[in-house]
Amino acid sequence: MLKPFFCLIGLSCFAVFAESPEVNFEAEQVEDETPILVEPEQPASISQRADEANGLIEQRVEIESASLQSPFVITPHKPNYFLPVKFQDDTDASDASAFSGELEDVEFKFQLSVKFPLAHNLFGTKASLWGAYTQQALWQSYNTKISSPFRETNYEPESFVLFDFERQITSSLKAKYISVGFNHQSNGRTEPLSRSWNRIYAEFFFESESAVISLKPWYRIPEGSEDDDNPNIEKYLGYGELNAVYVLDDYSIDLMLRNNLRAENKGAIQLGFTFPMWGKTRGYIQYFDGYGQSLAEYDDHVRSLGIGVMLTNWL
């Protein structure tokens, strides 16, 4: 049985500049120059890139535009991260899975999210059509007694139209973009463990000098009672979420809030902290408290804390 492992490899690049040997005809000797090793420049901080691009959102738009020109680059959508150590209180009690009774509280969580453009300049405007895919997994990587299974994987394809909508709201806050889209999310299982729902959403993006905020209300597309795997999911995940990212130099704090806005109040908070490590590598700490960490746990209150590496963040 193979034990799970996770390796992080840091690659350092050096540029070597050497002048051509100078020939001294009088002495008939060749003087060799010693190669000069030049340390690579450190990547610009998030704040520096934002200043150069005239805003936090614009610096990401510029990076995405550059990446779209290369056939070998995949454009990130939501954050991409690996949390090789994630502790969750009482995992067995809060997981509707085939492995209940055998799960461990320490596991591996990761998220991969990409998007790709389908069309530009829709309706004679700057609007663009996108497709995206996000996958989040909870992996019992250290639980070798049951062969280290993935206890839950959520699949989230979506498509959306992005509108450029820049408006100054206050002296320090402006609206930047609006997106309207369709989202499907499921865990790819059969009954009785199947969980899924379809939503139509709108997302509004706002920006200040050091923060970005998005407000994302959604409407769940109704399903027949025989087809609905989770008829009361809105009671726990609500009707939208608020995301915010605050940037200080090369550090960032991200926040996600959900609430069902009911008398029987339920919701969730996710708080993350990203910090530089070496080169482009960034550490990431994530705390979650509430409902809906995964579809299998949508109606169970979960608390978890994970630490790992952020590959690409919101900004």
Side-chain angles (χ1 to χ4, degrees):
M1 182 179 301
L2 296 177
K3 293 184 177 181
F5 63 91
F6 181 77
C7 297
L8 299 176
I9 304 176
L11 299 178
S12 300
C13 299
F14 297 91
V16 178
F17 297 89
E19 296 182 358
S20 300
E22 182 179 343
V23 180
N24 187 330
F25 290 99
E26 295 181 359
E28 294 184 355
Q29 293 179 348
V30 176
E31 296 180 1
D32 295 329
E33 294 283 345
T34 302
I36 301 173
L37 297 181
V38 180
E39 294 187 4
E41 295 183 2
Q42 289 296 317
S45 70
I46 301 173
S47 297
Q48 289 173 335
R49 295 199 305 267
D51 290 340
E52 295 173 0
N54 194 30
L56 289 167
I57 295 180
E58 287 306 313
Q59 63 92 18
R60 168 156 182 173
V61 171
E62 288 187 4
I63 293 173
E64 288 184 354
S65 298
S67 72
L68 292 175
Q69 306 305 315
S70 174
F72 304 105
V73 177
I74 298 177
T75 305
H77 181 40
K78 297 179 181 180
N80 289 270
Y81 58 80
F82 292 97
L83 303 177
V85 179
K86 182 186 79 74
F87 175 81
Q88 179 171 317
D89 63 335
D90 205 5
T91 303
D92 258 325
S94 63
D95 182 68
S97 78
F99 306 102
S100 294
E102 304 177 281
L103 297 174
E104 295 180 352
D105 290 339
V106 178
E107 60 187 358
F108 193 134
K109 178 183 180 181
F110 64 85
Q111 178 171 288
L112 301 174
S113 182
V114 297
K115 64 181 179 182
F116 46 91
L118 299 175
H120 290 290
N121 302 319
L122 296 176
F123 320 117
T125 69
K126 293 182 180 180
S128 53
L129 175 64
W130 294 77
Y133 176 75
T134 302
Q135 181 170 317
Q136 184 183 103
L138 300 174
W139 179 22
Q140 288 276 297
S141 57
Y142 310 106
N143 194 349
T144 56
K145 64 182 180 181
I146 56 173
S147 195
S148 305
F150 283 83
R151 72 174 176 91
E152 174 75 353
T153 303
N154 291 166
Y155 311 93
E156 191 173 354
E158 61 184 299
S159 61
F160 59 92
V161 178
L162 183 66
F163 298 91
D164 189 339
F165 183 80
E166 185 162 339
R167 298 287 188 278
Q168 196 73 38
I169 299 176
T170 68
S171 59
S172 59
L173 182 69
K174 57 184 174 183
K176 290 291 292 184
Y177 291 92
I178 298 175
S179 68
V180 178
F182 168 81
N183 171 290
H184 169 79
Q185 188 180 30
S186 67
N187 63 356
R189 297 189 181 184
T190 58
E191 295 291 353
L193 302 177
S194 174
R195 301 285 185 271
S196 67
W197 61 334
N198 298 310
R199 289 169 289 172
I200 297 172
Y201 68 85
E203 189 164 13
F204 305 87
F205 297 89
F206 305 89
E207 177 186 67
S208 68
E209 182 178 354
S210 56
V212 172
I213 300 171
S214 77
L215 180 62
K216 184 180 181 180
W218 59 63
Y219 169 74
R220 185 191 180 189
I221 300 175
E223 299 180 54
S225 57
E226 295 182 358
D227 300 322
D228 198 342
D229 300 323
N230 25 252
N232 61 346
I233 193 170
E234 300 99 319
K235 178 181 177 181
Y236 297 92
L237 271 65
Y239 303 93
E241 67 182 28
L242 173 72
N243 285 281
V245 181
Y246 177 78
V247 174
L248 180 61
D249 292 330
D250 214 16
Y251 300 84
S252 66
I253 298 172
D254 57 89
L255 172 70
M256 183 280 296
L257 292 173
R258 285 197 302 261
N259 195 281
N260 64 359
L261 303 177
R262 298 187 182 196
E264 186 181 352
N265 197 252
K266 299 182 186 298
I269 178 172
Q270 181 174 288
L271 188 64
F273 176 61
T274 307
F275 53 93
M277 294 177 69
W278 61 84
K280 294 183 179 180
T281 305
R282 286 177 166 79
Y284 185 51
I285 300 172
Q286 183 190 84
Y287 173 74
F288 182 91
D289 189 342
Y291 295 87
Q293 175 185 240
S294 69
L295 286 178
E297 304 161 316
Y298 81 89
D299 56 352
D300 291 308
H301 189 273
V302 168
R303 292 186 183 90
S304 68
L305 178 66
I307 184 168
V309 175
M310 175 71 76
L311 303 182
T312 59
N313 203 347
W314 290 108
L315 299 171

